[in-house]
Amino acid sequence: MVLQWLTFSLGRWATIMLQLLFLIATSYPCTASTMLVHPYVRTIVSEVGCQSGYEWMNNQENSDPCRVVAYVLAACFGNSWTQPPLAPGNWYNPPNGSFVTPCYCSWSGYNLLMACTYCQSANDTGQLLTWQNFTPNCPTSYTDESFPSGYTLLAGETIPYWATIDPMTWTGQIWDEQQAYEYSLQGKPDLLPSVSTGSHSSDLAAIVGGTVGGVVFLLLSFGICFLCKRRRYRRVRATPVAEIKVEPNPSWQMRNRQLSDQSKTSVSQQKNVSPATYYTGSGTQAIPSMYPSSPPGLYTTSYDTSGAQPHPAIPII
């Protein structure tokens, strides 16, 4: 009902924008937990497991360090990571190139990767790297925290307390299994990166931010469209300026016509009058009247024409 009223009031374009907004709003899940897990396809896989006897390395979700490090590294790679097993005599490469990320260079990234190496190789420390050899390509800002602020782990995975220790404190600045075990016995809670700490790779924050941005954009578009239609409506309803028309005056037209006719008649009569001849002496000569409309004889004049001689006529100009 509301949508129909808006359709009638605002027009076709506003209705289209409202419908798009409705589709966007209904396309997202209703709960935050659902948005966090299902909007995108993710692949976080650990193809390796620790040997028995290293269960103390597991986090509170009972995930071994190889699985947890996959989640830690994936946080900076779009929540997609596959942790491969190590062949005998090999080790995991330190961060380099595109793999230089805050997650890979963090304390937990190093500690968990070394623990994953150690639990596969049956106490072989020859495959472990020192902290200095692990971070030559990492900027200082990446190597000064246990886990980068603003990032979260998918599916609520946590980082065991022993993996949050500064590698500079390990003996020889290399991960030490005995020291890590002693830290695990302290019973301190695991680290749970929170959504509130930042939004760099948080799916929830990204979705909320994108949704809010889309809503703001649509609202702005709706407002602009509404103002344009309102201005156009006002222009249509505005009273046009009246055109001033000068109507002819019948009395003036009649008077002008009479004057014109009289002028034409006078000119015509003047052309038909013959030139007059003047005499001197006794006698009477009537001069043709220049005003035909006057009574006859009004302008008659007497002349003495006896013994007079004719004079050439003076043309009337």
Side-chain angles (χ1 to χ4, degrees):
M1 184 67 181
V2 176
L3 189 60
Q4 292 178 351
W5 179 82
L6 290 174
T7 302
F8 176 78
S9 302
L10 303 179
R12 182 167 58 91
W13 289 107
T15 304
I16 292 174
M17 287 187 289
L18 288 174
Q19 290 175 347
L20 289 174
L21 178 62
F22 177 76
L23 291 176
I24 292 174
T26 56
S27 63
Y28 287 108
C30 297
T31 62
S33 60
T34 306
M35 288 194 293
L36 185 63
V37 175
H38 296 290
Y40 306 103
V41 176
R42 303 177 180 85
T43 54
I44 300 178
V45 179
S46 175
E47 298 177 345
V48 60
C50 291
Q51 296 181 7
S52 61
Y54 297 101
E55 289 76 14
W56 63 267
M57 295 183 179
N58 296 353
N59 64 2
Q60 64 187 28
E61 287 78 35
N62 202 32
S63 299
D64 62 50
C66 296
R67 178 177 175 82
V68 177
V69 76
Y71 278 86
V72 168
L73 301 183
C76 292
F77 285 99
N79 289 321
S80 180
W81 187 268
T82 299
Q83 185 65 24
L86 278 177
N90 294 332
W91 57 84
Y92 292 112
N93 292 327
N96 62 84
S98 61
F99 293 94
V100 178
T101 65
C103 302
Y104 210 138
C105 296
S106 66
W107 301 348
S108 58
Y110 168 78
N111 292 332
L112 289 168
L113 202 59
M114 295 302 105
C116 179
T117 301
Y118 188 85
C119 72
Q120 291 181 70
S121 58
N123 302 332
D124 184 4
T125 59
Q127 296 173 290
L128 301 180
L129 298 175
T130 64
W131 175 245
Q132 184 177 3
N133 292 333
F134 185 80
T135 58
N137 301 319
C138 297
T140 305
S141 59
Y142 289 0
T143 61
D144 60 356
E145 54 188 346
S146 59
F147 185 78
S149 59
Y151 291 82
T152 59
L153 299 185
L154 192 64
E157 286 286 341
T158 59
I159 301 173
Y161 172 69
W162 60 264
T164 63
I165 303 302
D166 184 356
M168 297 287 289
T169 64
W170 301 123
T171 302
Q173 298 185 6
I174 187 172
W175 183 82
D176 186 271
E177 187 263 346
Q178 184 60 37
Q179 287 180 277
Y181 176 70
E182 293 174 0
Y183 280 117
S184 69
L185 295 177
Q186 294 181 10
K188 293 186 178 181
D190 292 355
L191 174 64
L192 175 61
S194 174
V195 173
S196 61
T197 59
S199 60
H200 290 183
S201 66
S202 172
D203 294 330
L204 176 60
I207 292 172
V208 172
T211 303
V212 172
V215 170
V216 170
F217 175 77
L218 289 176
L219 289 177
L220 288 175
S221 301
F222 166 76
I224 292 173
C225 179
F226 177 75
L227 292 176
C228 291
K229 292 182 72 65
R230 187 175 182 181
R231 178 176 295 182
R232 186 182 305 171
Y233 177 75
R234 286 181 175 179
R235 285 202 301 265
V236 171
R237 295 210 19 124
T239 303
V241 179
E243 295 182 0
I244 301 176
K245 295 183 179 180
V246 179
E247 297 293 341
N249 192 327
S251 61
W252 280 99
Q253 286 184 337
M254 181 63 67
R255 176 61 179 171
N256 291 338
R257 187 176 300 129
Q258 291 175 353
L259 292 176
S260 176
D261 293 343
Q262 292 177 1
S263 175
K264 291 179 180 179
T265 304
S266 175
V267 172
S268 176
Q269 291 176 353
Q270 289 178 9
K271 292 181 179 179
N272 295 327
V273 174
S274 299
T277 301
Y278 294 92
Y279 295 88
T280 59
S282 61
T284 301
Q285 176 66 37
I287 301 175
S289 175
M290 298 296 298
Y291 303 94
S293 59
S294 300
L298 181 60
Y299 293 98
T300 303
T301 306
S302 298
Y303 293 95
D304 184 5
T305 59
S306 60
Q309 297 294 327
H311 294 276
I314 300 174
I316 298 176
I317 298 175

PDB file of all heavy atoms in Angstrom, residues 282-298:
ATOM      1  N   SER A 282     -13.361  96.503 -66.959  1.00  0.00           N
ATOM      2  CA  SER A 282     -14.686  96.198 -66.448  1.00  0.00           C
ATOM      3  C   SER A 282     -15.098  94.805 -66.864  1.00  0.00           C
ATOM      4  O   SER A 282     -14.614  94.255 -67.840  1.00  0.00           O
ATOM      5  CB  SER A 282     -15.680  97.234 -66.990  1.00  0.00           C
ATOM      6  OG  SER A 282     -15.710  97.185 -68.410  1.00  0.00           O
ATOM      7  N   GLY A 283     -15.987  94.286 -66.194  1.00  0.00           N
ATOM      8  CA  GLY A 283     -16.491  92.951 -66.504  1.00  0.00           C
ATOM      9  C   GLY A 283     -16.403  92.050 -65.273  1.00  0.00           C
ATOM     10  O   GLY A 283     -15.768  92.374 -64.279  1.00  0.00           O
ATOM     11  N   THR A 284     -17.007  91.009 -65.427  1.00  0.00           N
ATOM     12  CA  THR A 284     -17.032  90.059 -64.298  1.00  0.00           C
ATOM     13  C   THR A 284     -16.576  88.700 -64.786  1.00  0.00           C
ATOM     14  O   THR A 284     -17.039  88.226 -65.818  1.00  0.00           O
ATOM     15  CB  THR A 284     -18.432  89.943 -63.709  1.00  0.00           C
ATOM     16  OG1 THR A 284     -18.838  91.249 -63.279  1.00  0.00           O
ATOM     17  CG2 THR A 284     -18.437  89.004 -62.527  1.00  0.00           C
ATOM     18  N   GLN A 285     -15.633  88.066 -64.003  1.00  0.00           N
ATOM     19  CA  GLN A 285     -15.148  86.721 -64.345  1.00  0.00           C
ATOM     20  C   GLN A 285     -15.214  85.868 -63.071  1.00  0.00           C
ATOM     21  O   GLN A 285     -14.646  86.218 -62.047  1.00  0.00           O
ATOM     22  CB  GLN A 285     -13.693  86.766 -64.852  1.00  0.00           C
ATOM     23  CG  GLN A 285     -13.089  85.412 -65.130  1.00  0.00           C
ATOM     24  CD  GLN A 285     -13.775  84.728 -66.294  1.00  0.00           C
ATOM     25  OE1 GLN A 285     -14.163  85.380 -67.286  1.00  0.00           O
ATOM     26  NE2 GLN A 285     -13.976  83.427 -66.188  1.00  0.00           N
ATOM     27  N   ALA A 286     -15.870  84.812 -63.225  1.00  0.00           N
ATOM     28  CA  ALA A 286     -15.973  83.892 -62.075  1.00  0.00           C
ATOM     29  C   ALA A 286     -14.761  82.967 -62.032  1.00  0.00           C
ATOM     30  O   ALA A 286     -14.382  82.393 -63.038  1.00  0.00           O
ATOM     31  CB  ALA A 286     -17.254  83.074 -62.164  1.00  0.00           C
ATOM     32  N   ILE A 287     -14.147  82.900 -60.926  1.00  0.00           N
ATOM     33  CA  ILE A 287     -12.977  82.010 -60.723  1.00  0.00           C
ATOM     34  C   ILE A 287     -13.464  80.681 -60.167  1.00  0.00           C
ATOM     35  O   ILE A 287     -14.230  80.645 -59.201  1.00  0.00           O
ATOM     36  CB  ILE A 287     -11.983  82.644 -59.744  1.00  0.00           C
ATOM     37  CG1 ILE A 287     -11.496  83.993 -60.272  1.00  0.00           C
ATOM     38  CG2 ILE A 287     -10.813  81.716 -59.480  1.00  0.00           C
ATOM     39  CD1 ILE A 287     -10.598  84.735 -59.316  1.00  0.00           C
ATOM     40  N   PRO A 288     -13.055  79.634 -60.842  1.00  0.00           N
ATOM     41  CA  PRO A 288     -13.512  78.317 -60.325  1.00  0.00           C
ATOM     42  C   PRO A 288     -13.080  78.132 -58.881  1.00  0.00           C
ATOM     43  O   PRO A 288     -11.964  78.485 -58.487  1.00  0.00           O
ATOM     44  CB  PRO A 288     -12.800  77.307 -61.248  1.00  0.00           C
ATOM     45  CG  PRO A 288     -12.477  78.093 -62.490  1.00  0.00           C
ATOM     46  CD  PRO A 288     -12.205  79.488 -62.025  1.00  0.00           C
ATOM     47  N   SER A 289     -13.987  77.626 -58.155  1.00  0.00           N
ATOM     48  CA  SER A 289     -13.713  77.427 -56.725  1.00  0.00           C
ATOM     49  C   SER A 289     -12.754  76.270 -56.528  1.00  0.00           C
ATOM     50  O   SER A 289     -12.845  75.220 -57.156  1.00  0.00           O
ATOM     51  CB  SER A 289     -15.023  77.133 -55.980  1.00  0.00           C
ATOM     52  OG  SER A 289     -14.741  76.831 -54.633  1.00  0.00           O
ATOM     53  N   MET A 290     -11.803  76.491 -55.627  1.00  0.00           N
ATOM     54  CA  MET A 290     -10.862  75.423 -55.259  1.00  0.00           C
ATOM     55  C   MET A 290     -11.466  74.471 -54.249  1.00  0.00           C
ATOM     56  O   MET A 290     -10.857  73.487 -53.866  1.00  0.00           O
ATOM     57  CB  MET A 290      -9.582  76.047 -54.677  1.00  0.00           C
ATOM     58  CG  MET A 290      -8.846  76.949 -55.671  1.00  0.00           C
ATOM     59  SD  MET A 290      -8.237  76.018 -57.091  1.00  0.00           S
ATOM     60  CE  MET A 290      -7.120  74.921 -56.280  1.00  0.00           C
ATOM     61  N   TYR A 291     -12.601  74.785 -53.763  1.00  0.00           N
ATOM     62  CA  TYR A 291     -13.256  73.954 -52.729  1.00  0.00           C
ATOM     63  C   TYR A 291     -14.621  73.527 -53.246  1.00  0.00           C
ATOM     64  O   TYR A 291     -15.612  74.225 -53.080  1.00  0.00           O
ATOM     65  CB  TYR A 291     -13.422  74.730 -51.427  1.00  0.00           C
ATOM     66  CG  TYR A 291     -12.092  75.246 -50.914  1.00  0.00           C
ATOM     67  CD1 TYR A 291     -11.655  76.529 -51.222  1.00  0.00           C
ATOM     68  CD2 TYR A 291     -11.288  74.415 -50.136  1.00  0.00           C
ATOM     69  CE1 TYR A 291     -10.442  76.985 -50.766  1.00  0.00           C
ATOM     70  CE2 TYR A 291     -10.066  74.881 -49.688  1.00  0.00           C
ATOM     71  CZ  TYR A 291      -9.642  76.165 -49.986  1.00  0.00           C
ATOM     72  OH  TYR A 291      -8.448  76.611 -49.537  1.00  0.00           O
ATOM     73  N   PRO A 292     -14.662  72.431 -53.953  1.00  0.00           N
ATOM     74  CA  PRO A 292     -15.934  72.022 -54.577  1.00  0.00           C
ATOM     75  C   PRO A 292     -17.042  71.820 -53.582  1.00  0.00           C
ATOM     76  O   PRO A 292     -18.206  71.921 -53.909  1.00  0.00           O
ATOM     77  CB  PRO A 292     -15.575  70.699 -55.259  1.00  0.00           C
ATOM     78  CG  PRO A 292     -14.076  70.735 -55.415  1.00  0.00           C
ATOM     79  CD  PRO A 292     -13.576  71.541 -54.273  1.00  0.00           C
ATOM     80  N   SER A 293     -16.730  71.533 -52.377  1.00  0.00           N
ATOM     81  CA  SER A 293     -17.790  71.264 -51.410  1.00  0.00           C
ATOM     82  C   SER A 293     -18.475  72.542 -50.945  1.00  0.00           C
ATOM     83  O   SER A 293     -19.478  72.488 -50.260  1.00  0.00           O
ATOM     84  CB  SER A 293     -17.214  70.525 -50.205  1.00  0.00           C
ATOM     85  OG  SER A 293     -16.184  71.286 -49.583  1.00  0.00           O
ATOM     86  N   SER A 294     -17.942  73.713 -51.282  1.00  0.00           N
ATOM     87  CA  SER A 294     -18.553  74.979 -50.858  1.00  0.00           C
ATOM     88  C   SER A 294     -19.732  75.314 -51.781  1.00  0.00           C
ATOM     89  O   SER A 294     -19.756  74.882 -52.944  1.00  0.00           O
ATOM     90  CB  SER A 294     -17.515  76.102 -50.924  1.00  0.00           C
ATOM     91  OG  SER A 294     -16.417  75.800 -50.049  1.00  0.00           O
ATOM     92  N   PRO A 295     -20.663  76.154 -51.328  1.00  0.00           N
ATOM     93  CA  PRO A 295     -21.820  76.542 -52.173  1.00  0.00           C
ATOM     94  C   PRO A 295     -21.363  77.336 -53.376  1.00  0.00           C
ATOM     95  O   PRO A 295     -20.367  78.064 -53.294  1.00  0.00           O
ATOM     96  CB  PRO A 295     -22.680  77.421 -51.222  1.00  0.00           C
ATOM     97  CG  PRO A 295     -22.235  77.003 -49.834  1.00  0.00           C
ATOM     98  CD  PRO A 295     -20.799  76.624 -49.955  1.00  0.00           C
ATOM     99  N   PRO A 296     -22.063  77.218 -54.515  1.00  0.00           N
ATOM    100  CA  PRO A 296     -21.658  77.945 -55.730  1.00  0.00           C
ATOM    101  C   PRO A 296     -21.722  79.456 -55.532  1.00  0.00           C
ATOM    102  O   PRO A 296     -22.626  79.941 -54.865  1.00  0.00           O
ATOM    103  CB  PRO A 296     -22.682  77.492 -56.775  1.00  0.00           C
ATOM    104  CG  PRO A 296     -23.229  76.199 -56.228  1.00  0.00           C
ATOM    105  CD  PRO A 296     -23.191  76.311 -54.752  1.00  0.00           C
ATOM    106  N   GLY A 297     -20.744  80.173 -56.140  1.00  0.00           N
ATOM    107  CA  GLY A 297     -20.715  81.632 -56.091  1.00  0.00           C
ATOM    108  C   GLY A 297     -20.173  82.203 -54.825  1.00  0.00           C
ATOM    109  O   GLY A 297     -20.166  83.410 -54.651  1.00  0.00           O
ATOM    110  N   LEU A 298     -19.727  81.352 -53.922  1.00  0.00           N
ATOM    111  CA  LEU A 298     -19.258  81.856 -52.635  1.00  0.00           C
ATOM    112  C   LEU A 298     -18.000  82.678 -52.821  1.00  0.00           C
ATOM    113  O   LEU A 298     -17.768  83.671 -52.146  1.00  0.00           O
ATOM    114  CB  LEU A 298     -18.999  80.698 -51.697  1.00  0.00           C
ATOM    115  CG  LEU A 298     -18.510  81.101 -50.289  1.00  0.00           C
ATOM    116  CD1 LEU A 298     -19.571  81.981 -49.603  1.00  0.00           C
ATOM    117  CD2 LEU A 298     -18.205  79.861 -49.474  1.00  0.00           C
TER     118      LEU A 298
END
